[in-house]
Amino acid sequence: MTSPESNSTDFIRAIVQDDLESNKYDGRVVTRFPPEPNGYLHIGHAKSICLNFGVASEYDGGVCHLRFDDTNPLREDVEYINSIQEDVRWLGFDWGSHLYYASDYFDALYNFAEQLILDGRAYVDSLSADEIREYRGTLTVRGRESPYRNRSAEENLDLFRRMRDGEFEDGAHVLRARIDMRSPNLNMRDPTIYRIRRATHHRTGDKWCIYPMYDYAHALSDSIENITHSLCTLEFEDHRPLYDWTLEALDVYRSQQIEFARLNLTNTVMSKRRLLQLVEGGYVSGWDDPRMPTISGLRRRGYTPEAIRTFCEHVGISKRDTVVNMALLEHCIREDLNQHAPRVMAVLNPLKVVIDNFPEDEVLEFDAVNNPEDPSMGSRKVPFSREVYIERDDFREEPPSRFFRLAPGREVRLRYACYITCQDVVKDPATGEIIELHCTYDPESVGGSTPDGRRVRGTLHWVSARHALQAEVRLYDYLLRDSDEEDEDSRDFISLLNPDSLQALTDCQVEPGLANAEPGNRYQFERQGYFCVDTRDSRPGAPVFNRTVSLRDSWARIEQSQSGGGS
Ligand code: ATP
Ligand code: MG
């Protein structure tokens, strides 16, 4: 595993450090995380959260604001406001008293707009949306000035106030910044800063029927909050001139926008629009479906905040867009759970084994280690009786070479218990399906001793049939079959959905001790992977487990092959 990129070395932290040394902001470090409450947070947001809260926490008096960018009432909802706060807290960050809403600034933003109008730097345009688009031009075609561009300040002010007072239909007019229709940067060709939209806002109700556009509201919100470093993703690089223009035109406090590469991950989608499509189309069970790359989905899947933070640290901060392999995220949770998750035995596809020479009513109890990585986690007792379940895959009637598990006439070890030898295979006469195995055990081998030094090559996990608890286990695979390049417009990502991303096994048999498992508890099922008790569907006595991740670490293999040491 490569060492995590050190926190102190990325280019943003270098800028913050320089600014402190030159006393650019009087020694202040104030960042913000500014989600729009139009969806649940995803792992990409976690990168931004770790950066913004992380940078602030590294300096005495550093502060990170949580600000809801709630300027578009049509798509926003309190459900999202609540989930976002829960997710940021769960990730381990605290905004203290610094919870803000762009909508709190609607009065201020309105007054700033009047000031721009009075200064001749904004005008009411009465072209239709289509006409505005056409007049704007393209990268190769210069923009043209709207015939309304030279209205007098008085006329603009009058129209803008009447827009506010609800005199006009949606779309009849907009307020535009008066910048430069010939700018090579399309964002500077008189961008719209206010539009009419009759919609009830979740905080301001029906007070407003005009709403500010994102770029305008965002720059001014940063300024109002005295943000020092406004960290955002690279797609906003072309918006920075507008950000700077807005603050300069109004002669207000200047925050500094700095862009970094967004997080992209293989085999999943990472835009709220697409995630919403999955939820609304019923392709997943909700925003917190364990296959979703949302924070709530990852939490339900069994991810820990520590693993997500470690992942973000590994990914690091740069100016270059890359696609990170999902195997790295899995690697991080595996490392964490390997240390902390207790191990238990669970049989996912049970095959009954009858141990013919074991007394009918006898029960033995064996000591099982909870986590060999951490002796302080102790041990537990596991009951053993005449009938046990093993994994169907652990038996082959005709074993191929290098299959060291159970086969007719072959001896294996049952973990913590004893050696058994397969004597007979019982099949359903109609289907030929194997129904049960008959075995004998060697009493000399009980409790881990090796009679006459005899070695066996296979060790199987098992559960006593009489004591076993029935459980449902949900196995997950990637949401998308192929890596999605996030070509927002054209690709039909629905056709890339993996039809086998969820497999529910309803007849699993697990250790009786798991009857006490609490929702959210995490375990290693020996030889199977890491699992977590589902927080939604699990019931006392009828647990449902989500597989967080398998034991196979494909990241280690990827790293090995990249460093030339692959086998
Ligand atoms: P999406 O593109 O997924 O719909 P968004 O950018 O519309 O997300 P916002 O609510 O505006 O979502 O995002 C809040 C903050 O999170 C922004 O500062 C944004 O730059 C950052 N962010 C969003 N997606 C990512 C990502 N994949 N990697 C890093 N930061 C991100
Ligand atoms: Mg956004």
Side-chain angles (χ1 to χ4, degrees):
M1 178 163 187
T2 48
S3 61
E5 284 186 38
S6 161
N7 270 345
S8 55
T9 57
D10 68 63
F11 76 95
I12 289 182
R13 288 176 163 91
I15 293 173
V16 172
Q17 187 60 39
D18 279 353
D19 290 347
L20 274 174
E21 280 161 21
S22 67
N23 211 28
K24 184 168 174 185
Y25 300 105
D26 310 321
R28 293 178 311 117
V29 176
V30 185
T31 57
R32 85 287 171 269
F33 174 64
E36 183 179 357
N38 62 351
Y40 282 59
L41 297 182
H42 53 60
I43 180 81
H45 293 116
K47 175 175 176 174
S48 175
I49 292 167
C50 288
L51 175 65
N52 280 294
F53 283 92
V55 165
S57 73
E58 286 154 27
Y59 295 97
D60 282 344
V63 180
C64 181
H65 298 182
L66 175 61
R67 183 205 312 142
F68 288 104
D69 248 322
D70 53 352
T71 53
N72 185 355
L74 292 185
R75 297 187 303 176
E76 297 163 3
D77 199 287
V78 265
E79 176 193 351
Y80 301 136
I81 292 197
N82 295 334
S83 75
I84 288 169
Q85 296 188 50
E86 181 185 356
D87 289 349
V88 174
R89 269 198 211 100
W90 179 78
L91 280 171
F93 299 104
D94 184 6
W95 53 88
S97 59
H98 300 284
L99 177 63
Y100 304 104
Y101 295 83
S103 56
D104 290 345
Y105 311 137
F106 280 173
D107 284 304
L109 298 177
Y110 176 84
N111 292 331
F112 282 132
E114 286 207 351
Q115 189 183 327
L116 287 177
I117 290 171
L118 290 173
D119 293 344
R121 308 189 90 150
Y123 61 97
V124 172
D125 198 354
S126 309
L127 293 178
S128 69
D130 284 342
E131 287 166 328
I132 288 179
R133 202 170 307 122
E134 196 213 311
Y135 274 68
R136 182 180 300 125
T138 63
L139 285 176
T140 50
V141 178
R142 264 190 200 169
R144 281 183 293 143
E145 298 189 351
S146 163
Y148 303 103
R149 197 175 195 259
N150 294 314
R151 280 172 162 153
S152 69
E154 293 68 36
E155 190 184 355
N156 281 319
L157 196 58
D158 174 60
L159 283 168
F160 187 50
R161 288 180 174 169
R162 288 161 62 196
M163 282 168 64
R164 176 198 60 190
D165 296 339
E167 272 191 43
F168 307 114
E169 292 302 300
D170 288 17
H173 307 282
V174 293
L175 184 71
R176 297 177 71 175
R178 197 167 187 278
I179 307 179
D180 180 6
M181 288 309 291
R182 294 172 164 207
S183 170
N185 183 339
L186 294 175
N187 295 306
M188 298 298 273
R189 295 186 188 169
D190 292 10
T192 298
I193 57 178
Y194 262 95
R195 63 184 163 185
I196 305 172
R197 181 157 272 188
R198 278 185 181 65
T200 303
H201 189 280
H202 52 97
R203 285 178 64 83
T204 57
D206 293 322
K207 175 173 178 195
W208 297 93
C209 66
I210 56 172
Y211 290 96
M213 301 299 286
Y214 179 84
D215 283 326
Y216 173 79
H218 190 74
L220 287 168
S221 301
D222 281 348
S223 175
I224 290 167
E225 291 176 19
N226 283 301
I227 300 297
T228 56
H229 301 86
S230 177
L231 312 177
C232 64
T233 38
L234 281 179
E235 68 272 23
F236 289 102
E237 201 163 13
D238 287 347
H239 298 239
R240 189 176 354 123
L242 176 55
Y243 183 99
D244 290 339
W245 181 93
T246 306
L247 302 186
E248 196 183 317
L250 287 162
D251 194 22
V252 291
Y253 168 83
R254 303 277 297 268
S255 312
Q256 176 184 4
Q257 174 178 312
I258 306 170
E259 308 86 14
F260 63 96
R262 64 192 290 115
L263 173 70
N264 301 299
L265 263 184
T266 60
N267 300 99
T268 192
V269 287
M270 198 120 64
S271 93
K272 284 185 282 193
R273 195 170 54 79
R274 287 179 168 190
L275 295 173
L276 182 65
Q277 208 178 326
L278 290 177
V279 172
E280 290 187 334
Y283 299 101
V284 295
S285 64
W287 285 99
D288 68 349
D289 186 298
R291 291 167 290 180
M292 293 279 270
T294 50
I295 304 301
S296 52
L298 292 167
R299 174 166 63 232
R300 193 173 157 199
R301 176 83 169 251
Y303 272 79
T304 60
E306 293 79 9
I308 294 176
R309 293 199 306 260
T310 303
F311 169 74
C312 292
E313 224 170 88
H314 273 265
V315 168
I317 299 297
S318 79
K319 273 269 185 199
R320 197 164 43 94
D321 262 319
T322 54
V323 182
V324 174
N325 198 311
M326 184 72 93
L328 176 60
L329 181 60
E330 295 177 342
H331 173 80
C332 292
I333 185 62
R334 206 179 272 117
E335 296 266 293
D336 182 355
L337 295 179
N338 183 45
Q339 299 293 320
H340 302 116
R343 299 187 187 185
V344 294
M345 293 196 287
V347 176
L348 305 191
N349 289 297
L351 174 61
K352 185 178 277 188
V353 172
V354 183
I355 302 167
D356 290 318
N357 61 338
F358 192 88
E360 193 97 37
D361 297 323
E362 192 167 332
V363 175
L364 294 179
E365 283 198 320
F366 296 114
D367 283 317
V369 179
N370 287 336
N371 189 340
E373 302 280 325
D374 182 357
S376 76
M377 289 172 73
S379 65
R380 67 193 184 282
K381 299 280 185 199
V382 188
F384 179 84
S385 63
R386 179 180 159 91
E387 295 188 355
V388 299
Y389 292 112
I390 64 166
E391 215 60 68
R392 246 171 212 282
D393 279 354
D394 282 340
F395 175 78
R396 291 286 184 86
E397 209 171 3
E398 288 167 23
S401 63
R402 304 193 58 75
F403 182 88
F404 300 117
R405 297 170 257 169
L406 198 58
R410 186 179 290 172
E411 187 171 53
V412 296
R413 174 192 286 114
L414 294 182
R415 185 125 158 98
Y416 303 120
C418 59
Y419 287 6
I420 58 167
T421 303
C422 178
Q423 307 294 354
D424 199 13
V425 182
V426 181
K427 293 182 186 174
D428 181 324
T431 64
E433 193 201 358
I434 297 173
I435 299 172
E436 63 182 35
L437 304 178
H438 284 261
C439 295
T440 50
Y441 85 113
D442 179 351
E444 298 287 305
S445 68
V446 167
S449 49
T450 49
D452 54 49
R454 195 162 84 236
R455 278 195 38 197
V456 292
R457 300 196 68 169
T459 298
L460 311 186
H461 62 276
W462 53 273
V463 178
S464 164
R466 197 194 308 174
H467 303 91
L469 175 70
Q470 185 167 351
E472 178 175 335
V473 171
R474 297 173 183 168
L475 305 179
Y476 301 101
D477 198 349
Y478 296 139
L479 206 46
L480 289 201
R481 280 179 288 142
D482 280 307
S483 141
D484 177 32
E485 299 300 329
E486 288 277 325
D487 178 355
E488 285 287 334
D489 311 315
S490 55
R491 291 270 290 282
D492 169 24
F493 82 98
I494 296 293
S495 68
L496 294 178
L497 287 179
N498 174 5
D500 302 317
S501 59
L502 167 62
Q503 190 192 353
L505 306 173
T506 51
D507 182 32
C508 305
Q509 303 290 333
V510 305
E511 272 187 40
L514 288 173
N516 303 321
E518 299 281 341
N521 281 6
R522 304 176 180 93
Y523 301 92
Q524 183 191 118
F525 289 179
E526 293 212 20
R527 301 174 62 223
Q528 302 281 9
Y530 295 98
F531 294 77
C532 156
V533 183
D534 190 65
T535 46
R536 241 180 225 289
D537 300 333
S538 207
R539 299 284 172 270
V544 176
F545 292 93
N546 297 314
R547 183 171 68 190
T548 311
V549 68
S550 68
L551 290 177
R552 212 171 342 106
D553 190 345
S554 47
W555 180 250
R557 220 169 306 141
I558 291 167
E559 279 224 315
Q560 204 181 32
S561 66
Q562 280 171 353
S563 65
S567 55

